[in-house]
Amino acid sequence: GENVEQHPSTLSVQEGDSAVIKCTYSDSASNYFPWYKQELGKRPQLIIDIRSNVGEKKDQRIAVTLNKTAKHFSLHITETQPEDSAVYFCAAGSNYQLIWGAGTKLIIKP
Amino acid sequence: NAGVTQTPKFRVLKTGQSMTLLCAQDMNHEYMYWYRQDPGMGLRLIHYSVGEGTTAKGEVPDGYNVSRLKKQNFLLGLESAAPSQTSVYFCASSYGTSILETQYFGPGTRLLVL
């Protein structure tokens, strides 16, 4: 079946440094790629999304890039802060199907 | 606006017991979803609904049933609970005519099946 692979499973960065999380997808029909953040014990919340007609999207310190040819997309967080510590999920969607990655635990070291 | 709410927050069941999880949203969203979240496996879609009176199977529907009798409510039923159904269950809803829209999640229900 269709799947989304997410790497790394855990990422530890120094506060102020950048963090990059990568996802690859298998369904070439996928055209919607959201990223959700889940803080410990909380519900997932959308932080940014991108559609297949766009190669890059930015929102302050967060950016997402999409390479449809290679079927991968990435989340970039610059100037990381303690409040960025969370689990981040990518997903790839087409028609009525949204497939989720397994998540990346981001740890911000002081 | 309460957003998406779930009842109960936590439940312990014995193998073979049944229960119903309730999801309610006050945002007039058309689409509603039930997910389960297990460590290291992300979110997996159980069932979803694209409108009142309609439901469809997701990625892992076995052992679960759903109903959407009212637009604002989406019920998830476990007819005969099994330990493999121990998980955190999230409900979500989205506005619009496509699954490719922002999903708003409830706070989750922790279910332990002994």
Side-chain angles (χ1 to χ4, degrees), chain A residues 45-93:
Chain A
Q45 290 188 299
L46 180 76
I47 54 171
I48 195 167
D49 59 10
I50 192 169
R51 298 184 189 268
S52 60
N53 58 344
V54 175
E56 184 176 4
K57 184 176 180 180
K58 289 183 180 180
D59 183 3
Q60 298 182 9
R61 296 187 297 109
I62 294 173
V64 58
T65 57
L66 171 65
N67 183 328
K68 284 220 74 179
T69 303
K71 290 195 280 189
H72 68 71
F73 56 111
S74 301
L75 177 71
H76 305 254
I77 305 175
T78 59
E79 300 173 1
T80 52
Q81 300 171 4
E83 54 264 36
D84 295 329
S85 292
V87 177
Y88 291 81
F89 293 98
C90 65

Coordinates of all heavy atoms in Angstrom, one line a residue, chain A residues 45-93:
Chain A
Q45 N -1.4 19.6 15.8 CA -1.9 20.9 15.3 C -1.1 21.2 14.0 O 0.1 21.0 14.0 CB -1.7 22.0 16.3 CG -2.7 21.9 17.4 CD -2.7 23.1 18.3 OE1 -1.7 23.5 18.9 NE2 -3.8 23.8 18.4
L46 N -1.8 21.7 13.0 CA -1.2 22.0 11.7 C -0.2 23.2 11.9 O -0.6 24.2 12.5 CB -2.2 22.3 10.7 CG -1.7 22.7 9.3 CD1 -1.2 21.5 8.5 CD2 -2.7 23.5 8.5
I47 N 1.0 23.1 11.4 CA 1.9 24.2 11.4 C 2.2 24.8 10.1 O 2.4 26.0 9.9 CB 3.2 23.9 12.1 CG1 3.9 22.7 11.4 CG2 3.0 23.6 13.6 CD1 5.3 22.4 11.9
I48 N 2.1 24.0 9.0 CA 2.3 24.5 7.7 C 1.9 23.4 6.7 O 2.0 22.2 7.0 CB 3.8 24.9 7.4 CG1 4.0 25.8 6.2 CG2 4.7 23.7 7.4 CD1 5.3 26.5 6.1
D49 N 1.5 23.8 5.5 CA 1.2 22.8 4.5 C 1.6 23.3 3.1 O 1.8 24.5 3.0 CB -0.3 22.4 4.5 CG -1.2 23.5 4.3 OD1 -0.8 24.6 4.0 OD2 -2.4 23.3 4.5
I50 N 1.7 22.4 2.2 CA 2.1 22.8 0.8 C 1.4 22.0 -0.2 O 1.1 20.8 0.1 CB 3.6 22.7 0.6 CG1 4.1 23.4 -0.7 CG2 4.1 21.3 0.7 CD1 5.6 23.6 -0.8
R51 N 1.0 22.6 -1.3 CA 0.3 21.8 -2.4 C 1.3 21.6 -3.5 O 2.3 22.4 -3.7 CB -1.0 22.5 -2.8 CG -1.9 22.6 -1.6 CD -3.3 23.1 -1.9 NE -4.0 23.3 -0.6 CZ -4.8 22.4 -0.1 NH1 -5.0 21.3 -0.7 NH2 -5.4 22.7 1.1
S52 N 0.9 20.7 -4.4 CA 1.9 20.3 -5.4 C 2.2 21.3 -6.5 O 3.2 21.1 -7.2 CB 1.4 19.0 -6.1 OG 0.2 19.2 -6.7
N53 N 1.5 22.4 -6.5 CA 1.8 23.4 -7.5 C 2.8 24.4 -7.0 O 3.1 25.4 -7.6 CB 0.5 24.1 -8.0 CG -0.3 24.7 -6.8 OD1 0.0 24.4 -5.7 ND2 -1.2 25.6 -7.1
V54 N 3.3 24.2 -5.8 CA 4.2 25.1 -5.1 C 5.5 24.3 -4.7 O 5.3 23.2 -4.2 CB 3.6 25.8 -3.9 CG1 4.6 26.7 -3.2 CG2 2.4 26.6 -4.3
G55 N 6.7 24.9 -4.9 CA 7.9 24.2 -4.5 C 8.4 24.5 -3.1 O 9.1 23.7 -2.6
E56 N 8.0 25.7 -2.6 CA 8.5 26.1 -1.3 C 7.4 27.0 -0.7 O 6.8 27.8 -1.4 CB 9.8 26.8 -1.4 CG 10.4 27.1 -0.1 CD 11.8 27.7 -0.2 OE1 12.3 27.9 -1.3 OE2 12.5 28.0 0.9
K57 N 7.3 26.9 0.6 CA 6.4 27.8 1.4 C 7.1 28.2 2.7 O 7.7 27.3 3.4 CB 5.1 27.1 1.6 CG 4.0 28.0 2.2 CD 2.7 27.2 2.3 CE 1.6 28.1 3.0 NZ 0.4 27.3 3.0
K58 N 7.0 29.4 3.1 CA 7.6 29.9 4.4 C 6.6 30.6 5.3 O 5.7 31.2 4.8 CB 8.8 30.9 4.1 CG 10.0 30.3 3.5 CD 11.1 31.3 3.3 CE 12.3 30.7 2.7 NZ 13.4 31.7 2.5
D59 N 6.8 30.4 6.6 CA 6.0 31.1 7.5 C 6.9 31.4 8.7 O 7.1 30.5 9.6 CB 4.8 30.2 8.0 CG 3.9 30.9 9.0 OD1 4.1 32.1 9.2 OD2 2.9 30.3 9.4
Q60 N 7.5 32.5 8.8 CA 8.4 33.0 9.8 C 9.6 32.0 9.9 O 10.3 32.0 8.9 CB 7.6 33.1 11.1 CG 6.5 34.1 11.1 CD 5.8 34.3 12.4 OE1 6.2 33.8 13.4 NE2 4.7 35.0 12.4
R61 N 9.8 31.3 10.9 CA 10.9 30.4 11.1 C 10.8 29.0 10.4 O 11.7 28.2 10.5 CB 11.3 30.2 12.6 CG 11.7 31.5 13.3 CD 12.2 31.2 14.7 NE 11.1 30.7 15.5 CZ 11.0 29.4 15.9 NH1 12.0 28.6 15.6 NH2 10.1 29.0 16.7
I62 N 9.6 28.8 9.9 CA 9.3 27.5 9.4 C 9.2 27.5 7.9 O 8.6 28.5 7.3 CB 8.0 26.9 10.0 CG1 8.1 26.7 11.5 CG2 7.5 25.7 9.3 CD1 6.9 26.4 12.2
A63 N 9.7 26.5 7.2 CA 9.6 26.5 5.7 C 9.4 25.0 5.3 O 9.9 24.1 6.0 CB 10.8 27.0 5.1
V64 N 8.7 24.8 4.2 CA 8.6 23.4 3.7 C 9.0 23.5 2.2 O 8.7 24.4 1.5 CB 7.2 22.9 3.9 CG1 6.1 23.8 3.2 CG2 7.1 21.5 3.4
T65 N 9.8 22.5 1.8 CA 10.1 22.4 0.4 C 9.6 21.1 -0.2 O 9.5 20.1 0.5 CB 11.7 22.4 0.2 OG1 12.2 21.3 1.0 CG2 12.2 23.7 0.7
L66 N 9.3 21.1 -1.4 CA 8.7 19.9 -2.1 C 9.4 19.6 -3.4 O 9.6 20.5 -4.2 CB 7.2 20.1 -2.4 CG 6.5 19.1 -3.2 CD1 6.4 17.7 -2.5 CD2 5.1 19.6 -3.6
N67 N 9.8 18.4 -3.6 CA 10.4 17.9 -4.8 C 9.5 16.8 -5.4 O 9.6 15.6 -4.9 CB 11.8 17.4 -4.6 CG 12.5 17.0 -5.9 OD1 11.9 16.5 -6.8 ND2 13.8 17.2 -5.9
K68 N 8.6 17.1 -6.3 CA 7.7 16.1 -6.8 C 8.3 15.0 -7.6 O 7.9 13.9 -7.6 CB 6.6 16.8 -7.6 CG 5.5 17.5 -6.7 CD 4.1 17.3 -7.3 CE 3.6 15.9 -7.0 NZ 2.2 15.8 -7.6
T69 N 9.4 15.4 -8.3 CA 10.1 14.4 -9.1 C 10.7 13.3 -8.3 O 10.5 12.1 -8.6 CB 11.2 15.1 -10.0 OG1 10.6 16.1 -10.7 CG2 11.9 14.1 -10.9
A70 N 11.3 13.7 -7.2 CA 11.9 12.8 -6.3 C 10.9 12.2 -5.2 O 11.3 11.3 -4.5 CB 13.1 13.4 -5.6
K71 N 9.8 12.8 -5.2 CA 8.7 12.4 -4.2 C 9.2 12.5 -2.8 O 9.1 11.6 -2.0 CB 8.2 11.0 -4.5 CG 7.4 10.9 -5.8 CD 6.6 9.7 -5.9 CE 7.4 8.5 -6.4 NZ 6.6 7.3 -6.8
H72 N 9.8 13.7 -2.5 CA 10.1 14.0 -1.1 C 9.9 15.4 -0.8 O 9.9 16.3 -1.6 CB 11.5 13.5 -0.7 CG 12.7 14.2 -1.4 ND1 13.0 15.5 -1.1 CD2 13.6 13.8 -2.3 CE1 14.0 15.9 -1.8 NE2 14.4 14.9 -2.5
F73 N 9.6 15.7 0.5 CA 9.4 17.0 1.0 C 10.0 17.1 2.4 O 10.2 16.1 3.1 CB 7.9 17.4 1.0 CG 7.0 16.4 1.8 CD1 6.4 16.8 3.0 CD2 6.8 15.1 1.3 CE1 5.6 16.0 3.7 CE2 5.9 14.3 2.0 CZ 5.3 14.7 3.2
S74 N 10.4 18.3 2.8 CA 11.1 18.6 4.0 C 10.6 19.7 4.8 O 10.1 20.7 4.2 CB 12.6 18.8 3.7 OG 13.2 17.7 3.0
L75 N 10.7 19.7 6.1 CA 10.4 20.7 7.0 C 11.7 21.3 7.5 O 12.6 20.6 8.0 CB 9.6 20.2 8.2 CG 9.2 21.2 9.2 CD1 8.2 22.2 8.7 CD2 8.6 20.6 10.5
H76 N 11.8 22.7 7.5 CA 13.0 23.4 7.9 C 12.6 24.3 9.0 O 11.7 25.2 8.8 CB 13.6 24.2 6.8 CG 14.0 23.3 5.6 ND1 15.3 23.0 5.3 CD2 13.2 22.8 4.6 CE1 15.3 22.3 4.2 NE2 14.0 22.1 3.7
I77 N 13.2 24.2 10.2 CA 13.0 25.2 11.3 C 14.3 25.9 11.6 O 15.3 25.2 11.9 CB 12.5 24.4 12.5 CG1 11.2 23.6 12.2 CG2 12.2 25.5 13.6 CD1 10.8 22.8 13.4
T78 N 14.3 27.2 11.4 CA 15.5 28.0 11.7 C 15.4 28.6 13.1 O 14.3 28.7 13.7 CB 15.7 29.1 10.7 OG1 14.5 29.9 10.7 CG2 15.8 28.5 9.3
E79 N 16.6 28.9 13.6 CA 16.7 29.6 14.9 C 15.8 28.9 16.0 O 14.9 29.5 16.6 CB 16.3 31.1 14.8 CG 17.2 31.8 13.9 CD 16.7 33.3 13.6 OE1 15.6 33.7 14.2 OE2 17.3 34.0 12.8
T80 N 16.1 27.6 16.2 CA 15.2 26.8 17.0 C 15.2 27.3 18.5 O 16.1 27.9 19.0 CB 15.6 25.3 17.1 OG1 17.0 25.3 17.4 CG2 15.4 24.7 15.7
Q81 N 14.0 27.2 19.1 CA 13.7 27.7 20.4 C 13.2 26.5 21.3 O 12.7 25.5 20.7 CB 12.7 28.8 20.4 CG 13.2 30.0 19.5 CD 12.1 31.0 19.3 OE1 11.0 30.9 19.8 NE2 12.4 32.0 18.5
P82 N 13.2 26.6 22.6 CA 12.8 25.5 23.4 C 11.3 25.1 23.1 O 11.0 23.9 23.2 CB 12.9 26.1 24.9 CG 14.0 27.1 24.7 CD 13.9 27.7 23.4
E83 N 10.5 26.1 22.8 CA 9.1 25.7 22.5 C 8.9 24.9 21.2 O 7.8 24.5 20.9 CB 8.2 27.0 22.5 CG 8.7 28.0 21.5 CD 9.5 29.1 22.2 OE1 10.3 28.7 23.2 OE2 9.4 30.3 21.8
D84 N 10.0 24.7 20.4 CA 9.9 23.9 19.2 C 10.0 22.4 19.6 O 9.8 21.6 18.7 CB 11.0 24.3 18.2 CG 10.9 25.7 17.7 OD1 9.7 26.1 17.5 OD2 11.9 26.3 17.4
S85 N 10.4 22.1 20.8 CA 10.5 20.7 21.2 C 9.1 20.1 21.1 O 8.1 20.5 21.7 CB 11.0 20.6 22.7 OG 12.3 21.0 22.8
A86 N 9.0 19.0 20.3 CA 7.7 18.3 20.1 C 7.9 17.2 19.1 O 9.1 16.9 18.7 CB 6.7 19.3 19.5
V87 N 6.9 16.5 18.8 CA 6.9 15.5 17.8 C 6.3 16.1 16.5 O 5.2 16.7 16.6 CB 6.2 14.2 18.1 CG1 6.2 13.2 17.0 CG2 6.8 13.5 19.4
Y88 N 7.0 15.9 15.4 CA 6.5 16.5 14.1 C 6.1 15.4 13.2 O 6.8 14.4 13.0 CB 7.5 17.4 13.5 CG 7.8 18.6 14.3 CD1 8.6 18.6 15.4 CD2 7.2 19.8 13.9 CE1 8.9 19.7 16.1 CE2 7.4 21.0 14.7 CZ 8.3 20.9 15.8 OH 8.5 22.1 16.5
F89 N 4.9 15.5 12.6 CA 4.4 14.5 11.7 C 4.2 15.1 10.3 O 3.7 16.2 10.1 CB 3.0 14.0 12.1 CG 3.1 13.2 13.4 CD1 2.7 13.7 14.6 CD2 3.4 11.8 13.3 CE1 2.7 13.0 15.7 CE2 3.4 11.1 14.5 CZ 3.1 11.7 15.7
C90 N 4.7 14.4 9.3 CA 4.4 14.8 7.9 C 3.3 13.9 7.4 O 3.0 12.8 8.0 CB 5.6 14.7 7.0 SG 6.2 12.9 6.8
A91 N 2.6 14.3 6.3 CA 1.6 13.5 5.7 C 1.5 13.8 4.2 O 1.9 14.9 3.8 CB 0.2 13.7 6.4
A92 N 1.1 12.9 3.4 CA 0.9 13.1 2.0 C -0.5 12.7 1.6 O -1.0 11.6 2.0 CB 1.9 12.3 1.2
G93 N -1.2 13.5 0.9 CA -2.6 13.3 0.6 C -3.0 13.4 -0.9 O -2.4 14.2 -1.6

